[in-house]
């Protein structure tokens, strides 16, 4: 490990010196992206290994690396300390789409039909009850706290309800990517893993529906905009069912390709992941649901599941490292401090709501003790989806959106760090790390390639 | 991002299309190696790129420039890790003389031909630019594509003394080309006012140091990696950092990448896992690299007809003549056929990489032509390189 850290430190020093002494220059920001790409891979991987030594998930190390070496980390002190600039991040966005796609493919490939069927009731409870709890608790907390926050002074009572609704629905969102990445990193398998993965997916659907409804309601309450657009129902239905349907179709096509051609699989998977995520955005679909159902189809309705997992497996580590380091690099550390009290309140209330909600849900579903105790840990992370919602808010509510968005982004930063650590601990205590299974009701499936 | 979506669609179409064609259409013998060697992606890139159908815009090429940088480094690293001193020292001295002799014969004939031909096509060219273009073309001509001979060995029983000699030559004869093109970028590149290029020797020293240090770091990291995923990540990371630093300092990535590969493999000669990972992952990167390269080809038919035909013709002359001459003169212990040069006609990705590297350092219309000529030659040679190599292997000794 010492050698790794020495290499990382030398690399940081060398790049800093080159930039500080201005020995050369990049002709375009695109060239800069190649160096940033390599820098992220090497340094984040090494930091990830180092934090694993102290019992934290590698993912936390990747996030920290992004926060420190990204454009809003130490780079604000001096331009020579900008190891990953905002321009380079923009150029590397392509890898975020690929990563998101691969993560969704993996998640789909991890979900066995029998296992999901067996726990369907539990999954639905664990997704819906905590969502309701999160919504209500965060709604109430925001309502009571809003008079003490900057934007609260300017709002009417109806406006405060509108803002509370927004925070409530945003609290429901989780980061499927972070949850799935932890499952992959620790090769987790078992009933709790299946339940958390399934719940995260269902929650994603709930967020799509909930956010669309809340957005309309908040517009009426905050802006007094009473134009009710009925097409919103169609849009939401298209996003959910269209994504699932097209995903299954994509899964079918992919399975046929694997069966009859089967060459250049890693390239096919990488290109499909990128394409699906990008095109889904254009056609108002959910890239995550689309690829997840494609992976689910290949795993459960064809004989090519293992080959798909192998193809994904080959590039999954570099892609995950890039994805989470870039997510960390987008966190504005300097924006976190002014809104910290509200953020801590939001995070605390949300964590409590998830814990209580999962406990109630598992009691209703009659889950095992381990699931009751630890499944909540998998529903804490927030990242990409939440940030996307925050960006949408800034656009839709220009007057208050900026502050609300900053608060949400700051809360995401905290949840992004805390969530994976909690989930890793939860998996460990539930005995599902490395495919071990204490409940004994689901043997770890033999999966080609492993992770 | 939209333009990248176009490229991803094209990559998918190219892969699907070429595999479907291979499966359901009888590919005439000479074209098989174009498909088998992946050169079809180069053609697909050209057809779908801005020069023909325009599905891939110039913007894509700019955005994916890091992929090309990493691709150049990757190809060079792959070449470098073939040069294990442990294996090379077992070779007979005369074999080295043969390999480098025939390579220099090609450099000489192609160099002389283009020294006179380029000014007659382009008019007056500044001496520095002309020298760089001629040396690059000559260097690109001197190497041999290893993949073609490897494929023949696997599928067509390409064996015997001639095949063995040709395989050794194909492994080594790109070395002079890498050195020559590296020196071209260090000594003939005129720094712009914004660039702070030190004198050529200092730049050469810097490149060697970066390559050497990089190779050592790769070895340090890979020795401690515990699985193939981590190894791939570390290799990819080192390639990208190396390529990025080369772009930052405007130095030749192929030269540095090859040194990195040589240093790595000789510090860790018993570890073949990296070779497996690099070759296994190569195809993904290579397909994207070839498609991208295809999109930047600017085909000027009149020029290409003359320059391309001369390049291909003179190169064959150099390879066959040089091979026969040095075999006759050195009397190699393997006793290959005098037609051994016929087995050295194939060209590989390294020739394209060297041309692209040159075009990045000396961007001009002349550089575009050099790239196009080299790419055209790689595709054309792929058509008949395999039958010629088989003929050479069966020729009387």
């Amino acid at each position: 490990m010492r050698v790794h850290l020495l290499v990382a430190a030398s690399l940081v020093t060398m790049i800093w010196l080159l930039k500080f002494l201005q020995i050369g220059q990049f002709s375009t920001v695109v060239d800069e992206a190649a160096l940033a790409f390599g820098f992220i891979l090497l340094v984040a991987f090494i930091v990830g290994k180092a934090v694993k030594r102290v019992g934290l998930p590698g993912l936390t190390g990747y996030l920290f690396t992004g926060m420190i070496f990204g454009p809003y980390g130490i780079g604000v002190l001096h331009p020579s300390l900008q190891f990953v600039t905002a321009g380079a991040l923009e150029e590397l966005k392509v890898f975020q789409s690929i990563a998101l796609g691969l993560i969704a493919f993996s998640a789909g490939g991890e979900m066995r039909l029998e296992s999901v069927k067996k726990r369907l009731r539990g999954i639905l409870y664990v997704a819906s009850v905590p969502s309701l709890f999160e919504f209500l608790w965060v709604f109430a907390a925001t309502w009571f706290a809003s008079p003490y926050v900057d934007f609260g002074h300017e709002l009417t009572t109806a406006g405060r309800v509108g803002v509370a609704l927004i925070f409530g629905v945003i609290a429901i969102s989780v980061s499927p990517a972070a949850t799935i990445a932890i499952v992959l990193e620790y090769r987790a398998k078992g009933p709790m893993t299946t339940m958390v993965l399934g719940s995260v997916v269902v929650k994603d659907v709930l967020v799509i529906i909930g956010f669309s409804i809340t957005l309309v309601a908040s517009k009426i309450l905050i802006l007094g905009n009473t134009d009710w657009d009925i097409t919103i129902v169609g849009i939401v239905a298209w996003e959910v069912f269209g994504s699932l349907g097209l995903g299954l179709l994509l899964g079918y096509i992919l399975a046929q390709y694997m069966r009859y051609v089967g060459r250049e699989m890693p390239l096919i998977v990488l290109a499909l992941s990128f394409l699906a995520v990008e095109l889904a955005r254009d056609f108002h679909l959910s890239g995550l649901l689309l690829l997840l159902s494609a992976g689910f189809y290949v795993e459960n309705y064809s004989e090519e599941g293992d080959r798909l997992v192998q193809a994904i497996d080959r590039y999954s580590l570099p892609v995950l490292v890039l994805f989470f380091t870039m997510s960390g690099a987008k966190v504005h550390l300097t924006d976190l401090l002014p809104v910290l009290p509200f953020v801590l309140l939001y995070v605390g209330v949300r964590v409590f709501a998830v814990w209580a909600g999962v406990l109630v849900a598992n009691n209703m579903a009659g889950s095992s003790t381990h699931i009751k105790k630890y499944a909540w840990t998998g529903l804490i992370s927030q990242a990409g989806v939440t940030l996307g919602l925050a960006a949408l808010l800034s656009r839709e509510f220009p007057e208050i959106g900026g502050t609300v968005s900053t608060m949400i982004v700051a809360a995401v930063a905290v949840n992004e760090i805390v969530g994976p650590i909690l989930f890793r601990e939860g998996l460990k205590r539930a005995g599902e790390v490395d495919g071990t299974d204490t409940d004994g009701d689901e043997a770890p499936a033999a999966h080609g390639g492993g992770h | 991002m939209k333009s990248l979506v176009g490229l991803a669609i094209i990559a998918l179409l190219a892969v699907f299309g070429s595999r479907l064609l291979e499966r359901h259409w009888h590919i005439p013998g000479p074209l098989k190696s174009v498909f088998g060697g992946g050169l079809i992606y180069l053609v697909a890139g050209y057809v779908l790129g801005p020069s023909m159908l325009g599905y891939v815009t110039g913007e894509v090429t700019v955005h994916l420039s890091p992929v090309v940088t990493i691709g150049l480094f990757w190809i060079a690293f792959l070449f470098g890790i073939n040069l294990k001193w442990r294996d090379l020292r077992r070779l007979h001295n005369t074999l080295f003389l043969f390999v480098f002799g025939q390579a220099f014969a090609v450099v000489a004939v192609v160099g002389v031909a283009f020294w006179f031909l380029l000014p007659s096509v382009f008019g007056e060219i500044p001496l520095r630019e002309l020298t760089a273009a001629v040396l690059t073309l000559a260097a690109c001509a001197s190497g041999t594509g290893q993949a073609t001979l490897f494929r023949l060995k696997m599928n067509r029983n390409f064996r015997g003394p001639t095949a063995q000699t040709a395989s050794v030559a194909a492994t080594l004869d790109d070395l002079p080309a890498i050195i020559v093109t590296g020196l071209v970028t260090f000594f003939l590149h005129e720094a712009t006012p914004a660039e702070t290029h030190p004198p050529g020797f200092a730049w050469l020293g810097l490149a060697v140091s970066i390559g050497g240090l990089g190779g050592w770091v790769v070895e340090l990291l890979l020795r401690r990696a515990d699985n193939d995923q981590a190894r791939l990540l570390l290799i990819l990371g080192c390639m990208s950092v190396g390529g990025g630093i080369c772009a930052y300092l405007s130095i030749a990535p192929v030269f540095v990448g090859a040194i990195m590969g040589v240093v790595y493999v000789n510090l860790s000669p018993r570890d073949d896992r990296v070779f497996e990972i690099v070759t296994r992952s190569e195809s993904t990167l290579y397909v994207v690299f070839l498609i991208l390269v295809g999109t930047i080809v600017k085909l000027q038919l009149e020029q290409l007809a003359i320059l391309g035909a001369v390049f291909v013709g003179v190169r064959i002359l150099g390879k066959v003549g040089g091979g026969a001459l040095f075999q006759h003169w050195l009397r190699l212990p393997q006793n290959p056929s005098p037609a051994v040069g016929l087995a050295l006609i194939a060209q590989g990705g390294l020739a394209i990489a060297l041309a692209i590297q040159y075009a990045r350092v000396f961007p001009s219309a002349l550089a575009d032509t050099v790239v196009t000529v080299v790419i055209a030659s790689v595709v054309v040679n792929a058509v008949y390189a395999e039958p010629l190599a088989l003929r050479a292997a069966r020729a009387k000794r």
Side-chain angles (χ1 to χ4, degrees):
Chain A
M1 193 66 239
R2 266 179 297 177
V3 171
H4 281 97
L5 288 174
L6 198 66
V7 168
S10 311
L11 184 63
V12 170
T13 313
M14 187 180 74
I15 293 175
W16 171 71
L17 272 176
L18 284 174
K19 288 190 171 181
F20 185 72
L21 300 173
Q22 294 182 323
I23 292 175
Q25 64 165 23
F26 288 110
S27 49
T28 60
V29 71
V30 183
D31 283 334
E32 197 177 341
L35 183 60
F37 178 83
F39 179 86
I40 289 175
L41 282 184
L42 291 180
V43 177
F45 175 70
I46 291 169
V47 174
K49 267 179 96 82
V51 299
K52 270 187 184 176
R53 289 257 169 145
V54 292
L56 296 175
L59 196 151
T60 309
Y62 312 151
L63 289 168
F64 275 134
T65 309
M67 286 178 188
I68 294 166
F69 296 107
Y72 312 109
I74 53 171
V76 296
L77 301 175
H78 191 270
S80 64
L81 291 169
Q82 285 216 355
F83 294 90
V84 182
T85 62
L89 271 184
E90 187 62 29
E91 290 301 326
L92 294 174
K93 252 166 68 179
V94 53
F95 293 103
Q96 276 209 305
S97 299
I98 292 176
L100 199 62
L102 278 190
I103 289 167
F105 252 140
S106 283
E110 292 291 328
M111 292 167 80
R112 317 281 139 68
L113 188 60
E114 303 126 56
S115 185
V116 172
K117 264 188 193 165
K118 208 165 134 188
R119 294 190 175 75
L120 191 59
R121 205 162 68 105
I123 288 171
L124 291 176
Y125 278 131
V126 171
S128 54
V129 178
S131 296
L132 189 66
F133 272 54
E134 286 161 68
F135 178 77
L136 292 175
W137 275 93
V138 173
F139 174 84
T142 314
W143 164 258
F144 286 116
S146 59
Y148 309 103
V149 187
D150 272 358
F151 61 80
H153 307 307
E154 299 151 20
L155 291 173
T156 59
T157 308
R160 280 171 59 202
V161 173
V163 172
L165 278 177
I166 290 171
F167 273 98
V169 81
I170 278 184
I172 301 176
S173 67
V174 279
S175 167
T179 306
I180 295 161
I182 289 290
V183 169
L184 295 178
E185 184 177 335
Y186 290 97
R187 301 176 196 175
K189 273 190 170 62
M192 186 177 111
T193 307
T194 307
M195 184 166 283
V196 169
L197 280 179
S199 306
V200 162
V201 176
V202 178
K203 260 176 152 282
D204 207 50
V205 175
L206 291 178
V207 170
I208 293 170
I209 299 168
F211 190 76
S212 307
I213 297 167
T214 310
L215 195 64
V216 175
S218 300
K219 271 186 183 173
I220 297 169
L221 293 165
I222 300 170
L223 306 175
N225 182 354
T226 49
D227 295 339
W228 169 257
D229 189 0
I230 193 72
T231 54
I232 192 89
V233 179
I235 292 172
V236 171
W238 164 246
E239 187 165 353
V240 174
F241 297 110
S243 305
L244 292 173
L246 286 172
L248 292 176
L249 181 68
L250 180 67
Y252 171 77
I253 295 170
L254 186 64
Q256 295 309 307
Y257 176 81
M258 289 167 81
R259 190 171 168 198
Y260 293 108
V261 184
R263 304 262 288 268
E264 312 287 5
M265 271 315 290
L267 178 73
I268 294 285
V269 169
L270 291 176
L272 276 182
S273 301
F274 171 69
L275 267 182
V277 172
E278 283 300 314
L279 293 178
R281 206 171 287 154
D282 288 351
F283 291 98
H284 214 284
L285 289 162
S286 161
L288 190 95
L289 287 181
L290 198 150
L291 285 167
L292 202 129
S293 46
F296 183 77
Y297 180 91
V298 177
E299 170 63 33
N300 292 289
Y301 298 101
S302 76
E303 287 168 7
E304 318 295 334
D306 285 353
R307 285 179 63 204
L308 178 69
V309 172
Q310 273 173 12
I312 295 170
D313 225 29
R314 191 179 293 177
Y315 293 99
S316 63
L317 183 62
V319 164
L320 285 178
V321 170
L322 265 176
F323 181 78
F324 288 105
T325 310
M326 286 172 70
S327 300
K330 284 178 186 160
V331 174
H332 295 237
L333 284 176
T334 41
D335 290 352
L336 183 65
L337 288 175
V339 289
L340 198 59
F342 183 84
V343 167
L344 290 179
L345 174 74
Y346 167 83
V347 171
V349 169
R350 184 173 170 272
V351 169
F352 171 75
V354 173
W355 172 79
V358 171
L359 193 67
V360 171
N362 280 316
N363 276 325
M364 289 162 76
S367 306
S368 65
T369 319
H370 284 301
I371 297 180
K372 270 184 204 164
K373 271 185 167 176
Y374 307 117
W376 66 276
T377 57
L379 305 178
I380 301 298
S381 294
Q382 286 191 299
V385 178
T386 323
L387 291 175
L389 298 180
L392 197 64
L393 281 181
S394 297
R395 269 207 312 275
E396 296 287 337
F397 304 100
E399 285 178 14
I400 59 153
T403 320
V404 173
S405 172
T406 306
M407 287 176 172
I408 293 169
V409 171
V412 166
V414 177
N415 284 328
E416 214 175 6
I417 294 168
V418 174
I421 299 173
L422 283 174
F423 188 35
R424 175 225 175 241
E425 198 55 32
L427 284 171
K428 213 170 141 189
R429 292 193 181 195
E432 296 192 7
V433 167
D434 230 357
T436 49
D437 181 1
T438 50
D439 273 17
D441 62 346
E442 181 177 307
H447 222 308
H451 291 287
Chain B
M1 204 60 104
K2 292 286 156 275
S3 43
L4 295 180
V5 169
L7 183 79
I9 293 174
I10 283 160
L12 284 179
L13 287 179
V15 172
F16 275 114
S18 64
R19 296 301 166 212
L20 281 177
L21 278 178
E22 271 185 287
R23 244 183 117 81
H24 298 292
W25 185 57
H26 174 71
I27 300 166
L31 284 179
K32 268 187 183 154
S33 43
V34 177
F35 278 82
L39 292 176
I40 188 69
Y41 301 121
L42 196 78
V43 179
Y46 175 72
V47 172
L48 300 161
S51 306
M52 271 187 87
L53 299 177
Y55 289 135
V56 184
T57 59
E59 194 198 338
V60 178
T61 319
V62 174
H63 280 291
L64 283 178
S65 163
V67 176
V68 177
T69 305
I70 299 167
L72 294 178
F73 217 86
W74 190 278
I75 291 171
F77 185 80
L78 187 57
F79 170 78
I81 59 175
N82 277 301
L83 303 184
K84 272 186 201 172
W85 175 243
R86 200 179 62 163
D87 298 339
L88 293 179
R89 70 179 174 191
R90 290 196 198 119
L91 299 176
H92 201 274
N93 287 343
T94 50
L95 197 54
F96 285 104
L97 286 175
F98 168 79
V99 171
F100 297 128
Q102 61 82 26
F104 279 112
V106 177
V107 168
V109 290
V110 174
V112 169
F114 277 85
W115 183 263
F116 294 104
L117 190 60
L118 285 180
S120 66
V121 174
F122 284 91
E124 201 178 331
I125 304 170
L127 184 64
R128 192 189 282 260
E129 276 183 45
L130 178 66
T131 314
V134 167
L135 284 176
T136 304
L137 278 168
C140 291
S142 67
T144 308
Q146 294 178 51
T148 307
L149 300 188
F150 182 73
R151 249 194 333 273
L152 283 176
K153 196 171 162 185
M154 291 290 119
N155 307 327
R156 304 287 298 273
N157 197 25
F158 181 64
R159 290 175 206 284
T162 305
Q164 210 183 344
T165 309
S167 297
V168 173
T171 309
L172 290 172
D173 67 0
D174 277 310
L175 190 59
I178 291 174
I179 295 170
V180 168
T181 49
L183 296 179
V184 164
T185 61
F186 299 131
F187 290 97
L188 295 176
H189 172 52
E190 210 166 6
T192 60
E195 289 173 337
T196 48
H197 258 231
F201 279 110
W203 226 226
L204 172 64
L206 188 65
V208 173
S209 311
I210 292 172
L213 195 67
W216 180 57
V217 168
V218 173
E219 201 276 329
L220 272 181
L221 292 175
L222 290 181
R223 199 194 311 160
R224 288 161 179 83
D226 37 26
N227 57 54
D228 278 358
Q229 280 186 329
R231 279 183 203 103
L232 176 66
L233 178 142
L234 292 169
I235 295 169
L236 207 52
C238 291
M239 306 276 119
S240 312
V241 167
I245 289 176
C246 288
Y248 186 70
L249 298 173
S250 303
I251 54 177
V254 178
F255 186 79
V256 178
I259 293 177
M260 199 190 249
V262 172
V263 171
Y264 164 72
V265 82
N266 286 294
L267 285 173
S268 186
R270 283 184 190 82
D271 191 357
D272 286 330
R273 282 174 301 186
V274 170
F275 184 78
E276 281 163 30
I277 292 167
V278 173
T279 45
R280 203 173 54 204
S281 309
E282 190 197 7
S283 69
T284 306
L285 188 67
Y286 201 50
V287 168
V288 180
F289 176 76
L290 287 179
I291 292 174
L292 274 178
V293 169
T295 63
I296 57 177
V297 172
K298 290 170 190 146
L299 217 57
Q300 292 135 316
L301 280 176
E302 287 166 35
Q303 281 179 1
L304 189 72
I306 304 165
L307 298 175
V310 172
F311 185 81
V312 171
V314 174
R315 182 174 177 272
I316 293 177
L317 188 75
K319 282 279 175 195
V320 177
L325 184 73
F326 281 92
Q327 146 64 356
H328 176 74
W329 181 39
L330 295 167
R331 303 243 171 256
L332 294 175
Q334 291 85 352
N335 192 23
S337 145
V340 62
L342 282 177
L344 304 175
I345 300 302
Q347 285 182 285
L350 198 58
I352 299 173
L354 292 173
I356 300 276
Q357 171 181 272
Y358 155 77
R360 287 180 146 206
V361 181
F362 301 87
S364 63
L366 178 62
D368 289 343
T369 307
V370 168
V371 173
T372 307
V373 166
V374 172
I375 290 174
S377 162
V378 171
V379 176
V380 169
N381 283 330
V383 174
Y384 52 79
E386 285 191 12
L388 288 182
L390 288 172
R391 181 170 291 190
R394 287 170 203 146
K396 255 191 198 169
R397 287 186 277 154

